Amino acid sequence: MNVNVQFTVNGQLQRLSTDPRRTLLDVLREDLGLTGTKCGCGEGQCRACTVLLDGSPVRSCLTEITEVEGRKVESIEGLGRNGRLHPVQEAFIQEGAMQCGYCVPGMIVATVGLLRRNPKPTQTQILDALNGNLCRCCGYGNILKAVQRAVRSVAPAESATSSRTGNPK
Amino acid sequence: MKTSFPELEFTEPERYELHEGPFYHFEVSRREFVQVLGAGILISVAVPSAFAQRSGRGGGTANLAQRLHLGADGMITVFTSKVEVGQGSRTQLTQAAAEELGVPVDRIRLIMADTAQGPDDGGTAGSRTTPSTVPAIRRDCAAARQLLVNTASTAFNIETKGLSVRNGLVEGLGSDRRFGYADLASEKYAQALKRDAGSGVAVTEVAQWRVLGTAVPRVGAVEIATGAHRFPSDIVRPGMLYGKVLRSPSYGAELTEIDLGPAQALPDVAAVRDGDFVGFAAPTSFAAEQARDAAAKTAKWKIAPHPSSDELYDYLRAHATSPRPRRDLRGSPDDALKTASKVLRETYHVAYIQHAPMEPRSAVAEWKEGNLTVWTGSQQPARVRQDLARSLRIPQERVRVIVPDSGGGFGGKHSGEVAVEAARLALAAKRPVSIRWSREDEFTWAYFRPAGVIDVAGGLDDKGTLVAWEHVNFNSGASAIATPYEVPNIATEFKSCDQPLRSGSYRALASTANAFARESFMDELAAASKTDPLEFRLRHLKNDRLRAVLVAAAERFGWRNEWKLNSARQSIGVGLACGTEKGSYVACCAKIQVDERAGTFKVLKVCEAFECGAIQNPGNLQAQVEGCIVMGLGGALREEIRFKDGKILNPMFSQYRVPRFKDVPEIETILVNRPDLSSVGAGETPIIGIAPAVANALFNAAQVRIRSLPIRNAALRAST
Ligand code: FES
Ligand code: FES
């Protein structure tokens, strides 16, 4: 039995009627054509499917579609602003933090989520936040460098309202 | 000898490449064909495609028109059958083309892995892209550059000698004259582009490289970082359905009965049973799953017995099938072992593991007027095309396979099961169908890296010199089975076995297993003669390239300060290992810390030196080496497929632990550049050193010798 759900994705209102047992991941990919969010396991163990729900990273493969009713979803496709990439996306490109790149959207979205919560994370906090994100190709080294680069470049902008004490550059 | 690499060792076909036919044998009904393909298909004439005259694996191409398309806008399209699965081939091949054509990288568009266009450079395996395809593309592009120069020379009546190409334009024509690839693209010169690449074309010397040899960033990075790139699992076609396949509950189980009725009763579901294949297509993957589960409840299976991973190693030994002739027999190892003053014999084990690429196997199949197009993630598009033609009984010319840049391969995506499944289901559903394997499908139905049992024996004379060596590998493969050390009497042997799980290629094939056994055993011999394992290796090593990486890694690691001959347990230990495979050389040092109380240990630091001839892209090479170390650490420490009663017991990432951020030790890499040597592939060999280096470090610290991969903490605990 289908239910009606209403939520925003990347700022756009979406209304759909669907089986309530379907996941947010499937709806994004199959109904809304947003294939940037990847499925690496469907069991909550790889975080390739990470999206932001009301600003916090969640595993969309474990999120039933009814849970997002009335809420705000952001996916990799919605991070850029005014035709410009998000600084975290820039950082991943600059550091060459990708081989096949399948894990990258999840990594980027998780990083954006982390930096919103904590614009100046320590190395330990970064590792805690990303440990659930799997990459099989690149040994994590370049991804960590990208996250650190993002911390340097994102902090002033993203933290504008929360903290202004950090390094102003 | 120093300037040529040992061709013999790595042109040998991969023993474990899957050459078996496709998974399924369909009884596709004539009625289905007539409906979907139109009448007459079964007697359709096989029209040889324009590219039927294959020039063999990695060989030359018939003419430039297959390799290159010059756009009137100055964009140059280059074609290759190679795939990009995260190893960096797209960037590297783009660099090769840009270098030789004399254009910037962003003027090249590389079309990869589409069986309907471009020359056949072979599949993507065995680290062959660098030594075969890069040279082929360089030669073809150099020929095009030469053609541009020659044509300009004729057109402006200027000698070719003073002409060169830069930014796609001929330089040296005089300031008022412009002539470039866009001009060559005009009708006027069309015939010129159809000639052979020729043999007299000179490629750019390594010393003159401007694009190759530099860390060109990954081509397509923006599409990846924005989610715009369409991986095979992201391909969407108009009217496409999502498919699910019914899997048997255990290996070898036979479907005796199933009622598709309950599935077909669900809205918009197409269901098909054809022999062992039972598939369901629906507008969403959830609906397809519901349909599959509804039918599954009615299925009856005949279960077949299947061995368990607990008895695996005895099973393999007992099921050795075709004892091969000794692959390498030098001197008289049997006699030498009898007369040696000290003899050691040990057995090593390696478990089955999975490639576990982040993108599971997936395919989209679409039938149009009797022609089948499949988008899929495979390292072997031509082979998948054959599999499709064979299982669906249509001529190959009607099948097109396209491989979009895919999410990881590691030797695991050589076969085309998912493509065949999608094609069969699309035929039944009369709509395009996308099938994405689940993670459990991946862990259960994708082929495995073979498990192995390896017996090694060695004899030392009274001065501690190796005089005899014996290495027998059961099942896991013969790659790097030959020892690189100088020993006068050697016997090596590979015995294939009738094995319980379906096995195939894996990154570096069996060299991980053989290097683990050999390098652990070298350590045991060094310990038996109370010698520094670095000294012990160097004393038996003549190969300059291997010596060079070994010394480089040991020096950077500070081996001479770090290593000491421990006789009691220490909390810190160091170990090293080295090896060569596919023409490249690796040495790895590791430092570990034991937690006596908990009975666990942690890898603190890894220092690895790697040499693969002239480096073509240092940035990508670095990432490949690091990726290999971390992937190798997974197989060394934790990864192991367990099975019982025909079922995989740990088919999930929660039960099959692959390395995560926090598992990564401090890693230092040394990329030894040899511009004087031919470039060879680098995506595989850097994986082989880490497991033995860690096992040796564990022995150094804890005086516990682990001879089985994965090295589990439990093993350490059990020994205390
Ligand atoms: S796909 Fe959601 S955690 Fe893996
Ligand atoms: S880059 Fe391939 S999985 Fe991360």
Side-chain angles (χ1 to χ4, degrees):
Chain A
M1 187 51 76
N2 283 0
V3 295
N4 293 320
V5 224
Q6 183 172 321
F7 54 102
T8 68
V9 179
N10 302 327
Q12 271 194 339
L13 184 65
Q14 302 287 349
R15 280 198 196 95
L16 45 99
S17 159
T18 188
D19 190 298
R21 293 163 297 175
R22 288 180 71 211
T23 63
L24 172 59
L25 175 64
D26 278 358
V27 170
L28 287 173
R29 293 179 51 90
E30 297 176 6
D31 301 20
L32 305 179
L34 295 171
T35 54
T37 306
K38 308 299 175 199
C39 179
C41 68
E43 61 183 41
Q45 287 289 321
C46 77
R47 296 186 192 241
C49 64
T50 304
V51 298
L52 299 177
L53 185 58
D54 291 338
S56 297
V58 295
R59 288 163 283 185
S60 61
C61 73
L62 296 185
T63 308
E64 281 186 5
I65 192 62
T66 50
E67 287 175 56
V68 306
E69 172 66 36
R71 301 174 75 180
K72 226 177 91 188
V73 176
E74 289 165 86
S75 71
I76 185 76
E77 291 92 344
L79 295 180
R81 286 283 171 276
N82 311 321
R84 294 193 36 204
L85 298 183
H86 189 282
V88 174
Q89 292 172 313
E90 285 288 2
F92 271 70
I93 295 167
Q94 294 287 321
E95 291 293 344
M98 58 189 75
Q99 290 288 294
C100 79
Y102 195 77
C103 65
V104 167
M107 296 274 182
I108 289 177
V109 173
T111 306
V112 171
L114 166 67
L115 297 187
R116 284 207 190 147
R117 204 163 63 236
N118 176 3
K120 284 270 168 216
T122 61
Q123 179 81 352
T124 314
Q125 289 168 331
I126 294 175
L127 291 178
D128 283 342
L130 292 182
N131 202 47
N133 284 73
L134 289 182
C135 173
R136 290 291 283 155
C137 303
C138 65
Y140 299 109
N142 287 347
I143 297 178
L144 264 184
K145 280 190 211 144
V147 176
Q148 284 153 350
R149 176 187 277 263
V151 170
R152 294 193 300 272
S153 66
V154 169
E158 292 264 336
S159 65
T161 51
S162 54
S163 144
R164 275 218 164 264
T165 52
N167 176 359
K169 206 208 142 228
Chain B
M1 180 63 214
K2 270 173 219 138
T3 49
S4 70
F5 43 84
E7 193 70 41
L8 233 176
E9 191 57 39
F10 58 93
T11 48
E12 202 174 297
E14 298 190 342
R15 210 156 271 96
Y16 272 110
E17 280 217 62
L18 290 175
H19 289 298
E20 318 152 15
F23 235 38
Y24 298 104
H25 301 280
F26 294 139
E27 305 291 336
V28 187
S29 81
R30 188 184 158 78
R31 196 169 59 89
E32 270 181 296
F33 267 121
V34 170
Q35 282 174 353
V36 174
L37 310 177
I41 177 63
L42 295 176
I43 48 157
S44 76
V45 182
V47 183
S49 74
F51 310 118
Q53 285 82 36
R54 303 281 170 184
S55 46
R57 194 171 142 125
T61 57
N63 64 49
L64 286 182
Q66 275 186 35
R67 176 73 76 195
L68 288 166
H69 175 265
L70 306 179
D73 56 355
M75 279 301 284
I76 300 177
T77 308
V78 181
F79 297 90
T80 178
S81 67
K82 293 290 172 173
V83 307
E84 169 66 60
V85 283
Q87 81 283 36
S89 59
R90 175 175 293 282
T91 307
Q92 195 186 348
L93 295 174
T94 302
Q95 281 177 271
E99 178 70 60
E100 299 300 341
L101 287 165
V103 300
V105 165
D106 59 14
R107 292 262 283 282
I108 305 277
R109 191 166 69 111
L110 184 67
I111 305 258
M112 303 180 80
D114 178 349
T115 59
Q117 43 187 345
D120 185 357
D121 301 308
T124 306
S127 285
R128 299 302 302 162
T129 300
T130 302
S132 303
T133 315
V134 168
I137 286 186
R138 288 180 62 197
R139 192 201 49 221
D140 292 353
C141 291
R145 181 193 60 214
Q146 192 61 49
L147 200 63
L148 179 68
V149 168
N150 292 348
T151 314
S153 145
T154 315
F156 298 102
N157 201 13
I158 295 180
E159 265 194 69
T160 55
K161 244 202 317 177
L163 302 180
S164 60
V165 180
R166 199 145 192 176
N167 271 326
L169 295 171
V170 180
E171 290 192 332
L173 294 174
S175 55
D176 52 337
R177 289 168 176 162
R178 275 176 70 93
F179 193 79
Y181 288 109
D183 303 296
L184 199 58
S186 70
E187 267 305 297
K188 207 165 141 195
Y189 304 107
Q191 279 311 312
L193 278 184
K194 289 201 178 120
R195 63 160 219 181
D196 278 351
S199 53
V201 175
V203 295
T204 311
E205 303 254 351
V206 176
Q208 313 296 324
W209 281 355
R210 284 183 290 207
V211 188
L212 279 170
T214 67
V216 169
R218 189 196 193 286
V219 174
V222 173
E223 288 75 12
I224 296 281
T226 53
H229 170 65
R230 298 265 173 167
F231 288 87
S233 47
D234 301 331
I235 299 287
V236 177
R237 301 295 302 167
M240 186 178 89
L241 301 175
Y242 295 88
K244 292 285 169 189
V245 176
L246 180 75
R247 306 283 173 202
S248 64
S250 57
Y251 294 123
E254 209 183 297
L255 183 63
T256 53
E257 209 183 301
I258 189 167
D259 178 8
L260 297 184
Q264 279 157 334
L266 297 168
D268 308 315
V269 165
V272 61
R273 176 178 182 188
D274 190 341
D276 319 335
F277 175 82
V278 187
F280 306 86
T284 66
S285 48
F286 178 80
E289 235 165 68
Q290 298 289 110
R292 180 196 58 195
D293 296 348
K297 289 198 190 109
T298 71
K300 298 222 160 50
W301 300 89
K302 203 171 121 215
I303 304 296
H306 195 266
S308 134
S309 46
D310 289 341
E311 47 177 347
L312 173 62
Y313 301 124
D314 294 336
Y315 184 95
L316 289 178
R317 216 183 259 284
H319 288 77
T321 49
S322 58
R324 288 167 153 252
R326 289 196 159 178
R327 189 162 170 256
D328 187 5
L329 183 62
R330 201 179 311 155
S332 356
D334 295 347
D335 296 345
L337 279 170
K338 268 185 218 127
T339 56
S341 61
K342 190 178 272 178
V343 173
L344 261 60
R345 282 179 192 281
E346 295 299 349
T347 296
Y348 299 85
H349 298 133
V350 297
Y352 281 109
I353 64 178
Q354 259 305 2
H355 310 77
M358 283 314 298
E359 182 181 36
R361 259 141 266 254
S362 58
V364 171
E366 178 177 78
W367 293 87
K368 246 184 202 160
E369 286 150 22
N371 295 311
L372 171 66
T373 303
V374 176
W375 293 260
T376 189
S378 171
Q379 297 173 244
Q380 302 282 358
R383 195 182 301 166
V384 172
R385 184 184 188 216
Q386 263 173 32
D387 282 2
L388 286 163
R390 258 161 68 194
S391 26
L392 293 152
R393 307 205 186 124
I394 54 172
Q396 271 203 55
E397 289 69 34
R398 288 189 168 270
V399 183
R400 176 180 184 185
V401 174
I402 301 170
V403 180
D405 293 8
S406 303
F410 318 118
K413 290 181 177 168
H414 286 192
S415 50
E417 304 87 343
V418 69
V420 174
E421 290 166 357
R424 184 63 190 87
L425 202 42
L427 184 67
K430 302 185 204 73
R431 300 261 289 271
V433 169
S434 164
I435 296 187
R436 291 171 284 136
W437 277 20
S438 69
R439 186 49 66 182
E440 184 174 351
D441 286 345
E442 264 307 301
F443 272 121
T444 311
W445 300 104
Y447 58 81
F448 299 84
R449 180 197 77 177
V453 176
I454 301 169
D455 294 330
V456 194
L460 298 167
D461 68 10
D462 51 4
K463 292 186 208 67
T465 302
L466 254 175
V467 290
W469 184 266
E470 200 177 78
H471 183 128
V472 183
N473 178 311
F474 290 83
N475 194 59
S476 95
S479 294
I481 198 171
T483 174
Y485 299 105
E486 302 296 322
V487 193
N489 304 289
I490 299 181
T492 52
E493 192 173 1
F494 165 58
K495 293 176 193 267
S496 49
C497 303
D498 191 359
Q499 56 173 326
L501 300 186
R502 187 165 160 265
S503 298
S505 305
Y506 181 89
R507 206 168 197 175
L509 302 171
S511 48
T512 303
N514 287 322
F516 169 64
R518 184 192 67 238
E519 291 299 302
S520 297
F521 193 69
M522 285 299 282
D523 208 67
E524 301 204 43
L525 290 167
S529 50
K530 301 209 171 3
T531 316
D532 175 345
L534 173 64
E535 284 312 316
F536 185 74
R537 282 178 174 76
L538 288 173
R539 207 197 291 159
H540 292 94
L541 211 48
K542 273 211 188 115
N543 186 311
D544 287 342
R545 293 173 74 178
L546 191 51
R547 285 183 71 99
V549 287
L550 184 55
V551 169
E555 272 178 8
R556 181 74 64 85
F557 183 75
W559 179 263
R560 278 173 222 276
N561 295 327
E562 295 276 5
W563 185 83
K564 48 186 178 314
L565 184 65
N566 291 342
S567 49
R569 289 191 156 216
Q570 319 277 326
S571 71
I572 301 281
V574 295
L576 55 74
C578 64
T580 169
E581 168 70 357
K582 300 194 167 84
S584 65
Y585 297 83
V586 67
C588 182
C589 301
K591 185 176 185 168
I592 65 136
Q593 182 169 32
V594 174
D595 180 340
E596 272 291 332
R597 217 137 346 92
T600 58
F601 72 97
K602 197 175 155 190
V603 180
L604 297 177
K605 184 179 173 174
V606 174
C607 175
E608 182 162 299
F610 180 65
E611 188 254 291
C612 56
I615 296 175
Q616 298 189 343
N617 184 326
N620 184 57
L621 178 59
Q622 168 97 15
Q624 283 296 298
V625 173
E626 286 179 12
C628 274
I629 292 170
V630 173
M631 183 170 263
L633 211 48
L637 299 181
R638 289 206 182 96
E639 289 177 42
E640 174 182 24
I641 290 289
R642 288 178 290 114
F643 53 94
K644 197 178 175 208
D645 299 327
K647 290 189 199 339
I648 300 299
L649 300 177
N650 53 340
M652 306 167 96
F653 277 135
S654 50
Q655 298 160 330
Y656 181 101
R657 186 79 155 60
V658 298
R660 293 172 180 266
F661 273 96
K662 289 190 187 173
D663 300 321
V664 179
E666 180 189 340
I667 294 177
E668 201 168 350
T669 55
I670 304 152
L671 308 179
V672 179
N673 193 15
R674 290 294 302 269
D676 55 319
L677 299 175
S678 307
S679 310
V680 294
E684 306 193 70
T685 306
I687 201 175
I688 70 178
I690 180 75
V694 168
N696 293 341
L698 189 58
F699 176 77
N700 182 239
Q703 309 293 299
V704 176
R705 178 58 66 181
I706 305 294
R707 299 191 182 88
S708 190
L709 292 184
I711 305 162
R712 283 172 230 86
N713 285 325
L716 185 61
R717 247 170 261 148
S719 73
T720 53

